[in-house]
Amino acid sequence: MATGAGKTITALYLAIRLFENKERLGLVVVCPYINLANQWLGEMRKFGIEPIACFGSLSKWQARLRDAYLEVQLGTSKFLAAVVTNKTFLSDVFQASIHPESFDHLLVADEVHNLGARELAKRLNPKLKFRLGLSATPERHRDLEGTQTLLDYFGDIVYEFGIKDAIDNDVLSRYFYYPVLVDLTESESETYWRLSEEISRLYPRRKKDAGEDDPVRKRLDSLLIERARLLASAANKLLKLIEEPPDKT
């Protein structure tokens, strides 16, 4: 679904309908960033859900989550909800704190394409019975393996609501799109081409079926990440941002 088209509301409605058909349910929402996690907390409260914020200091959420599981297992509660960042979701402490084997759980992954990263993919627990991935861009850029990992775990794409659909249905406002080109600095350009040359040398040597410890694969992944970060943090972006916008009338 397109950004701003209602992925959060749709997911929460689904969670409530699922709960209506279950005796007990655990809802785990995974977000890549704290600001998104806080948005989820706010939206969930509008639905009458009081979630546990599982990020930040361990002392703020570990005991609360443990008590919530105990209440469901004892029958004094039928529902628990937790919102967790990708970083915390990766941790052994969080993984040991959830118990999807005890009763049905729904995993909602916001910006699900982020979960295709290798370390996160290791934490895709098969005991989380119900799974929903949300993304405006579900396919990982230049990462067929990561994309396939997500499809294997969450299943194929079952619903699409793109920007055109959202605009035609008055969910999003019509807008004009003006790309702004940004040049790399001399130093950034040198680094970019150095990284690209090494990537081009290593790429033909990669083995598609190589394990995670394969040195070529590890080095190639590291170079690709470094180059992507270089583009994302290009110094001239800030200069373009504060420039007077061009007159498009």
Side-chain angles (χ1 to χ4, degrees), residues 49-199:
I49 300 171
E50 190 55 45
I52 301 169
C54 296
F55 49 90
S57 174
L58 189 65
S59 62
K60 293 181 178 180
W61 61 265
Q62 187 179 29
R64 289 186 61 200
L65 187 59
R66 182 185 62 239
D67 292 345
Y69 268 102
L70 185 59
E71 290 173 4
V72 175
Q73 290 164 349
L74 291 176
T76 58
S77 176
K78 295 183 178 181
F79 183 83
L80 72 82
V83 178
V84 58
T85 58
N86 285 3
K87 182 179 179 180
T88 302
F89 184 72
L90 263 175
S91 69
D92 291 332
V93 173
F94 181 80
Q95 291 294 318
S97 297
I98 59 173
H99 306 285
E101 71 283 352
S102 301
F103 50 90
D104 287 337
H105 279 55
L106 168 63
L107 172 67
V108 177
D110 197 9
E111 305 294 348
V112 68
H113 49 275
N114 287 284
L115 290 180
R118 190 174 306 149
E119 291 302 316
L120 280 167
K122 294 178 182 177
R123 297 299 194 180
L124 298 179
N125 190 334
K127 293 182 180 179
L128 290 162
K129 183 176 180 180
F130 299 100
R131 308 157 191 170
L132 176 66
L134 307 173
S135 179
T137 54
E139 294 183 356
R140 288 176 57 81
H141 184 58
R142 295 185 179 179
D143 184 9
L144 295 177
E145 182 180 351
T147 298
Q148 190 58 52
T149 296
L150 294 177
L151 293 175
D152 289 343
Y153 185 74
F154 287 95
D156 293 332
I157 297 171
V158 296
Y159 180 72
E160 295 184 76
F161 190 72
I163 291 178
K164 184 179 186 305
D165 297 317
I167 291 175
D168 290 345
N169 286 274
D170 294 324
V171 175
L172 293 178
S173 300
R174 297 185 181 276
Y175 64 93
F176 295 98
Y177 181 65
Y178 300 112
V180 177
L181 301 181
V182 176
D183 293 324
L184 296 177
T185 65
E186 183 177 350
S187 174
E188 289 170 342
S189 296
E190 291 176 357
T191 302
Y192 181 86
W193 288 114
R194 176 179 58 78
L195 293 171
S196 297
E197 287 176 359
E198 188 170 355
I199 289 169

Side-chain angles (χ1 to χ4, degrees), residues 211-239:
E212 296 178 3
D213 295 329
D214 178 67
V216 173
R217 177 173 172 175
K218 290 174 67 176
R219 178 58 180 164
L220 185 59
D221 286 350
S222 176
L223 291 168
L224 289 169
I225 291 171
E226 186 178 353
R227 189 174 66 174
R229 287 176 176 168
L230 173 70
L231 295 176
S233 60
N236 285 331
K237 284 186 175 182
L238 291 177
L239 298 178

